[in-house]
Amino acid sequence: GRAAMVGFVAAMGAEATGHSVASQVFSPGGILAAAFIGAFTVAASCAPVALNKVTIDKCFPDENASYPDELLPTVWTPIAEKLNGRVAMVAFTVMLILGQ
């Protein structure tokens, strides 16, 4: 989900300059960029664990956790992150299919 969100934003940026998503993804640079984004996202997600700042359970979102004291419980929660990731995946797929 996190990589999909980053990829979607990158695709939208390039789409605004006139490059289609398909031409970005299926080019050698696009494949390399997708691999880099995926690896960087995994590394950034695991960095707090590697630095012994948090446990592995705290590193990745738990969709069953409750947050009763938050003012806006749909912002910055595991459920919101999961939903945003899924929306980014669907939007990226739609952009890929409908691109010129």
Side-chain angles (χ1 to χ4, degrees):
R2 293 173 181 170
M5 290 184 261
V6 173
F8 175 74
V9 171
M12 286 298 295
E15 187 82 28
T17 63
H19 298 92
S20 71
V21 175
S23 68
Q24 296 173 57
V25 172
F26 299 118
S27 69
I31 293 169
L32 182 63
F36 176 75
I37 288 170
F40 186 72
T41 303
V42 169
S45 297
C46 295
V49 175
L51 297 172
N52 293 322
K53 301 290 184 185
V54 296
T55 63
I56 192 74
D57 297 332
K58 300 263 185 201
C59 185
F60 295 97
D62 178 12
E63 63 189 46
N64 297 321
S66 63
Y67 303 92
D69 296 332
E70 290 187 12
L71 296 175
L72 298 172
T74 58
V75 179
W76 300 112
T77 63
I79 295 169
E81 185 172 350
K82 184 177 182 180
L83 178 64
N84 290 339
R86 288 182 177 175
V87 169
M89 289 179 217
V90 170
F92 187 84
T93 303
V94 168
M95 287 175 53
L96 185 61
I97 291 170
L98 298 178
Q100 309 299 329

